[in-house]
Amino acid sequence: MKEKMTSGEIAKQAGVSAKALRVYDEKGLLKPVGYSEGNYKLYDKSSLMILEKIIALKHVGFSLEEIKSSLENDEQESIEATLRKQLQLMEDRIYQLQKSAGCIKAALARIDENPDWDDVADIIRKMEFSQGQDERRWYAASHAADGIEWYVKIYDSLNFEEGDRVLDLGCSFGLLWRENWDRIPVNFQVDGYDIHGNWADDLYEYLKGNRSTLPKDSDIQVIFSNLELDETWDRIREKRYTKAVAHYLLNYIEGREKFVRNVSESLVSGGLFSVNTYGISKMDSFWEKMIADMGLDNSFVIARRDELKANEDAFKEELSGYFKRVDLVALPCPIIYDDAELLFQRLTKRYAGGIRYIEQNKEKILAFLDKKIQEEGSIVMDNDSGFFHCYK
């Protein structure tokens, strides 16, 4: 290799265009080491090594700005660390794209013949909320402080038995069944209703390969149909169910009271309907104390707790119009956090009304949480989740 190379020579050796070389120069990624008597840019062996790194990083998805940062920190970060960091970024991007694709599929599955953009925007907002709920549920499942799978707790609370006919509204991924597959009774039937374009598609495929392992005379079906359409409920009411569950669903349904009435009409006398309360929990007491311990004003926590309690009471009254008895069941779900940022995100999600104050004090909150995690190894957030068990 020549001691010095011109732009054309180094570009040819590296397999890039002269134009690309000019861009790298303009962006400060690869500067010439000198100039010839004719004022031509000159490069050397170290220049070629830098150029090869630029090419490699560009091929694995680095932007030019990211490449520049990597070159500037070349001595501080190993090749493995650089590639692992980029892999994580790319996986995050892929996940975000997959979520966006899921929203589009859901919108296509639910739009009418003559949709308008307001309808589509509303559907996508609901799907984004659903995806956020999914993420929080997966996190809670993998960080349960008591080590008990969340859907095992829910299953236990419903006292399923032989002969039950279950209506699973918004069946989604089917964790209630997957996590308790070996406990499903004989002569047990489940009709799961959901739309195409979400996790129910995965459950449908799962059942194809696993249905044969269910106990005698037991079956689980996924029925793709929109629960906001009257014809769906006409089909549901052709049967009568002993139990119905609508977990993590009502935030995506228009006309809650109509939905509750439809569920009631689908149950046998004495049948059970289980639905989330979306009310207060031990989490509110946890944050009320935690924020006070930080020396901050916790009135936004108290205000949100009071609002949630009012919503919970109103929902219970609504349910009581269609069911003889409505019981509140609180299932414990303490969660371990070893990352202050994740716990901070949970705080902002829970208390959106106080977001301005929370963001203003973010540095202080994170410092407090970080210190507590360093001292104790983790933070256990005492929490529970409420369900109304409604008896017809």
Coordinates of all heavy atoms in Angstrom, one line a residue, residues 158-202:
L158 N -61.1 -16.7 40.0 CA -62.3 -16.9 39.3 C -63.0 -18.3 39.5 O -64.1 -18.5 39.1 CB -62.1 -16.7 37.8 CG -61.8 -15.3 37.4 CD1 -61.2 -15.2 36.0 CD2 -63.0 -14.4 37.5
N159 N -62.3 -19.1 40.3 CA -62.9 -20.4 40.7 C -63.5 -21.2 39.5 O -64.6 -21.6 39.5 CB -63.9 -20.2 41.8 CG -63.3 -19.6 43.0 OD1 -62.3 -20.0 43.5 ND2 -64.0 -18.6 43.6
F160 N -62.7 -21.3 38.4 CA -63.2 -22.1 37.3 C -63.4 -23.5 37.7 O -62.7 -24.1 38.5 CB -62.2 -22.0 36.1 CG -62.1 -20.7 35.5 CD1 -60.9 -20.0 35.4 CD2 -63.2 -20.1 34.9 CE1 -60.8 -18.7 34.8 CE2 -63.2 -18.8 34.3 CZ -61.9 -18.1 34.3
E161 N -64.4 -24.2 37.0 CA -64.7 -25.6 37.4 C -65.3 -26.3 36.2 O -65.6 -25.7 35.1 CB -65.7 -25.6 38.5 CG -67.0 -24.9 38.3 CD -67.9 -24.8 39.5 OE1 -67.4 -25.2 40.6 OE2 -69.0 -24.3 39.4
E162 N -65.4 -27.6 36.3 CA -65.9 -28.5 35.2 C -67.3 -28.0 34.8 O -68.1 -27.7 35.7 CB -66.0 -29.9 35.7 CG -66.5 -30.9 34.7 CD -66.6 -32.3 35.3 OE1 -65.9 -32.6 36.3 OE2 -67.3 -33.1 34.7
G163 N -67.5 -27.9 33.5 CA -68.8 -27.5 33.0 C -69.0 -26.1 32.8 O -70.0 -25.6 32.2
D164 N -68.0 -25.2 33.1 CA -68.1 -23.8 32.9 C -68.1 -23.5 31.4 O -67.4 -24.2 30.6 CB -66.9 -23.1 33.5 CG -67.2 -22.6 34.9 OD1 -68.4 -22.4 35.2 OD2 -66.3 -22.3 35.7
R165 N -68.9 -22.5 31.0 CA -68.9 -21.9 29.7 C -68.5 -20.5 29.8 O -69.2 -19.7 30.4 CB -70.3 -22.1 29.0 CG -70.8 -23.5 28.9 CD -69.9 -24.3 27.9 NE -70.3 -25.7 27.8 CZ -69.8 -26.7 28.4 NH1 -68.9 -26.4 29.3 NH2 -70.2 -27.9 28.3
V166 N -67.3 -20.2 29.3 CA -66.6 -18.9 29.6 C -66.6 -18.0 28.3 O -66.2 -18.4 27.2 CB -65.2 -19.0 30.1 CG1 -64.6 -17.7 30.5 CG2 -65.2 -20.0 31.3
L167 N -67.0 -16.7 28.5 CA -67.0 -15.7 27.5 C -65.8 -14.8 27.8 O -65.8 -14.1 28.7 CB -68.3 -14.9 27.4 CG -68.4 -13.8 26.4 CD1 -68.2 -14.3 25.0 CD2 -69.7 -13.0 26.6
D168 N -64.7 -14.9 26.9 CA -63.5 -14.1 27.1 C -63.6 -12.9 26.2 O -63.3 -13.1 25.0 CB -62.3 -15.0 26.9 CG -61.0 -14.2 27.3 OD1 -61.1 -13.0 27.6 OD2 -59.9 -14.9 27.2
L169 N -63.9 -11.7 26.7 CA -64.1 -10.6 25.8 C -62.8 -9.8 25.7 O -62.3 -9.3 26.7 CB -65.2 -9.7 26.4 CG -66.5 -10.4 26.5 CD1 -67.5 -9.7 27.5 CD2 -67.2 -10.5 25.1
G170 N -62.3 -9.7 24.5 CA -60.9 -9.1 24.3 C -59.9 -10.0 24.8 O -59.0 -9.7 25.6
C171 N -59.9 -11.3 24.2 CA -59.0 -12.3 24.7 C -57.5 -12.1 24.5 O -56.7 -12.6 25.2 CB -59.4 -13.7 24.1 SG -59.4 -13.7 22.2
S172 N -57.2 -11.3 23.5 CA -55.8 -10.8 23.3 C -54.9 -12.1 23.2 O -55.2 -13.0 22.5 CB -55.4 -9.9 24.3 OG -54.1 -9.3 24.1
F173 N -53.8 -12.0 23.9 CA -52.7 -13.1 23.8 C -53.2 -14.4 24.5 O -52.6 -15.4 24.3 CB -51.5 -12.5 24.5 CG -50.2 -13.3 24.1 CD1 -49.6 -13.2 22.9 CD2 -49.6 -14.1 25.1 CE1 -48.5 -13.9 22.6 CE2 -48.5 -14.8 24.8 CZ -47.9 -14.7 23.5
G174 N -54.2 -14.3 25.3 CA -54.8 -15.5 26.0 C -53.9 -16.0 27.1 O -53.9 -17.2 27.5
L175 N -53.3 -15.0 27.9 CA -52.4 -15.4 29.0 C -53.2 -16.1 30.1 O -52.7 -16.9 30.8 CB -51.7 -14.2 29.5 CG -50.5 -13.7 28.7 CD1 -49.9 -12.5 29.3 CD2 -49.4 -14.8 28.6
L176 N -54.5 -15.7 30.3 CA -55.3 -16.4 31.3 C -55.4 -17.9 31.1 O -55.4 -18.6 32.0 CB -56.7 -15.8 31.3 CG -57.7 -16.2 32.3 CD1 -57.1 -15.9 33.7 CD2 -59.1 -15.6 32.1
W177 N -55.3 -18.3 29.8 CA -55.4 -19.7 29.5 C -54.0 -20.3 29.3 O -53.7 -21.4 29.8 CB -56.2 -19.9 28.2 CG -57.5 -19.1 28.3 CD1 -57.8 -18.1 27.4 CD2 -58.5 -19.2 29.3 NE1 -59.0 -17.5 27.8 CE2 -59.5 -18.2 29.0 CE3 -58.7 -20.0 30.4 CZ2 -60.6 -18.0 29.7 CZ3 -59.9 -19.8 31.2 CH2 -60.8 -18.8 30.8
R178 N -53.1 -19.6 28.7 CA -51.8 -20.2 28.4 C -51.0 -20.4 29.8 O -50.3 -21.4 29.9 CB -51.0 -19.2 27.6 CG -51.5 -19.0 26.2 CD -50.4 -18.4 25.3 NE -50.9 -17.7 24.1 CZ -50.2 -17.5 23.1 NH1 -48.9 -17.8 23.0 NH2 -50.7 -16.9 22.0
E179 N -51.1 -19.5 30.7 CA -50.4 -19.6 31.9 C -51.0 -20.6 32.9 O -50.4 -21.0 33.9 CB -50.3 -18.3 32.7 CG -49.5 -17.2 31.9 CD -48.0 -17.6 31.9 OE1 -47.6 -18.4 32.7 OE2 -47.3 -17.0 31.0
N180 N -52.2 -21.1 32.5 CA -52.9 -22.1 33.4 C -53.3 -23.3 32.6 O -54.3 -24.0 33.0 CB -54.1 -21.5 34.1 CG -53.7 -20.3 35.0 OD1 -53.2 -20.5 36.1 ND2 -53.9 -19.1 34.5
W181 N -52.6 -23.6 31.5 CA -53.0 -24.6 30.6 C -53.2 -26.0 31.2 O -54.2 -26.7 30.9 CB -52.0 -24.7 29.5 CG -52.4 -25.5 28.2 CD1 -52.2 -26.8 27.9 CD2 -53.3 -24.9 27.2 NE1 -52.8 -27.1 26.7 CE2 -53.4 -26.0 26.2 CE3 -53.8 -23.7 26.9 CZ2 -54.2 -25.8 25.1 CZ3 -54.6 -23.5 25.8 CH2 -54.7 -24.5 24.9
D182 N -52.4 -26.4 32.1 CA -52.4 -27.7 32.8 C -53.5 -27.7 33.9 O -53.7 -28.8 34.4 CB -51.1 -28.1 33.4 CG -50.0 -28.2 32.3 OD1 -50.4 -28.6 31.2 OD2 -48.8 -28.1 32.6
R183 N -54.1 -26.6 34.1 CA -55.1 -26.6 35.2 C -56.6 -26.5 34.7 O -57.5 -26.4 35.4 CB -54.8 -25.4 36.1 CG -53.4 -25.4 36.7 CD -53.1 -24.1 37.4 NE -54.0 -23.9 38.5 CZ -54.2 -22.7 39.1 NH1 -53.8 -21.6 38.6 NH2 -55.0 -22.7 40.2
I184 N -56.7 -26.4 33.4 CA -58.0 -26.2 32.8 C -58.8 -27.5 33.0 O -58.4 -28.6 32.8 CB -57.9 -25.9 31.3 CG1 -57.3 -24.5 31.1 CG2 -59.3 -26.0 30.6 CD1 -57.0 -24.2 29.6
P185 N -60.1 -27.3 33.5 CA -60.9 -28.5 33.9 C -61.4 -29.3 32.6 O -61.3 -28.8 31.5 CB -62.1 -27.9 34.6 CG -61.7 -26.5 34.9 CD -60.8 -26.1 33.8
V186 N -61.9 -30.4 32.8 CA -62.6 -31.2 31.8 C -63.9 -30.5 31.5 O -64.5 -29.8 32.3 CB -62.8 -32.7 32.1 CG1 -61.5 -33.3 32.4 CG2 -63.7 -32.8 33.4
N187 N -64.5 -30.8 30.3 CA -65.8 -30.2 29.9 C -65.8 -28.7 30.2 O -66.7 -28.2 30.9 CB -66.9 -30.9 30.7 CG -68.3 -30.5 30.1 OD1 -68.4 -30.0 29.0 ND2 -69.3 -30.7 31.0
F188 N -64.9 -28.0 29.6 CA -64.7 -26.6 29.9 C -64.6 -25.9 28.5 O -63.7 -26.2 27.7 CB -63.4 -26.4 30.7 CG -63.1 -25.0 31.1 CD1 -63.7 -24.5 32.3 CD2 -62.3 -24.1 30.4 CE1 -63.5 -23.2 32.7 CE2 -62.0 -22.9 30.9 CZ -62.6 -22.4 32.0
Q189 N -65.4 -24.9 28.3 CA -65.5 -24.3 27.0 C -65.2 -22.8 27.1 O -65.8 -22.1 28.0 CB -66.9 -24.5 26.3 CG -67.3 -25.9 26.2 CD -66.5 -26.7 25.2 OE1 -66.2 -26.1 24.1 NE2 -66.1 -27.9 25.5
V190 N -64.4 -22.2 26.2 CA -64.1 -20.8 26.2 C -64.3 -20.3 24.8 O -63.8 -20.8 23.8 CB -62.6 -20.5 26.6 CG1 -62.3 -19.0 26.5 CG2 -62.3 -21.0 28.0
D191 N -65.1 -19.2 24.7 CA -65.2 -18.5 23.4 C -64.5 -17.1 23.6 O -65.0 -16.3 24.4 CB -66.7 -18.2 23.1 CG -67.4 -19.5 22.6 OD1 -66.7 -20.4 22.2 OD2 -68.6 -19.6 22.6
G192 N -63.4 -16.9 22.9 CA -62.7 -15.7 23.1 C -63.0 -14.8 21.9 O -62.8 -15.2 20.7
Y193 N -63.4 -13.6 22.1 CA -63.7 -12.6 21.1 C -62.7 -11.5 21.0 O -62.3 -11.0 22.1 CB -65.1 -12.0 21.3 CG -66.3 -12.9 20.9 CD1 -66.7 -13.9 21.7 CD2 -66.9 -12.6 19.7 CE1 -67.8 -14.7 21.2 CE2 -68.0 -13.4 19.2 CZ -68.4 -14.5 20.0 OH -69.4 -15.3 19.6
D194 N -62.3 -11.2 19.8 CA -61.3 -10.1 19.6 C -61.3 -9.8 18.1 O -62.0 -10.4 17.3 CB -59.9 -10.5 20.1 CG -59.2 -9.3 20.7 OD1 -59.3 -8.2 20.1 OD2 -58.5 -9.4 21.8
I195 N -60.5 -8.8 17.8 CA -60.4 -8.4 16.3 C -59.0 -8.8 15.8 O -58.1 -9.1 16.5 CB -60.6 -6.9 16.2 CG1 -59.5 -6.1 17.0 CG2 -62.0 -6.4 16.5 CD1 -59.5 -4.7 16.7
H196 N -59.0 -8.9 14.5 CA -57.7 -9.2 13.8 C -56.8 -8.0 14.0 O -57.2 -6.9 14.3 CB -57.9 -9.4 12.3 CG -58.3 -10.8 11.9 ND1 -57.5 -11.9 12.2 CD2 -59.4 -11.2 11.3 CE1 -58.1 -13.0 11.7 NE2 -59.2 -12.6 11.2
G197 N -55.5 -8.3 13.9 CA -54.5 -7.2 14.0 C -53.9 -7.0 15.4 O -53.3 -6.0 15.6
N198 N -54.2 -7.9 16.3 CA -53.5 -7.7 17.6 C -53.1 -9.1 18.1 O -53.0 -10.0 17.3 CB -54.4 -7.0 18.6 CG -55.7 -7.8 18.9 OD1 -55.8 -9.0 18.7 ND2 -56.7 -7.2 19.5
W199 N -52.9 -9.2 19.4 CA -52.3 -10.5 20.0 C -53.3 -11.7 19.8 O -52.8 -12.8 19.9 CB -52.0 -10.3 21.4 CG -50.8 -9.4 21.7 CD1 -50.8 -8.2 22.4 CD2 -49.5 -9.6 21.3 NE1 -49.6 -7.7 22.4 CE2 -48.7 -8.6 21.8 CE3 -48.8 -10.7 20.6 CZ2 -47.3 -8.5 21.6 CZ3 -47.5 -10.6 20.4 CH2 -46.7 -9.5 20.9
A200 N -54.5 -11.4 19.5 CA -55.5 -12.5 19.3 C -55.1 -13.4 18.1 O -55.3 -14.6 18.1 CB -56.9 -12.0 19.2
D201 N -54.4 -12.8 17.2 CA -53.9 -13.6 16.0 C -52.9 -14.6 16.5 O -52.9 -15.8 16.0 CB -53.3 -12.6 15.0 CG -54.3 -11.7 14.3 OD1 -55.4 -12.1 14.2 OD2 -53.9 -10.6 14.0
D202 N -52.1 -14.2 17.4 CA -51.1 -15.2 17.9 C -51.8 -16.3 18.7 O -51.4 -17.5 18.6 CB -50.1 -14.4 18.9 CG -48.9 -15.3 19.3 OD1 -49.1 -16.0 20.3 OD2 -47.9 -15.2 18.6

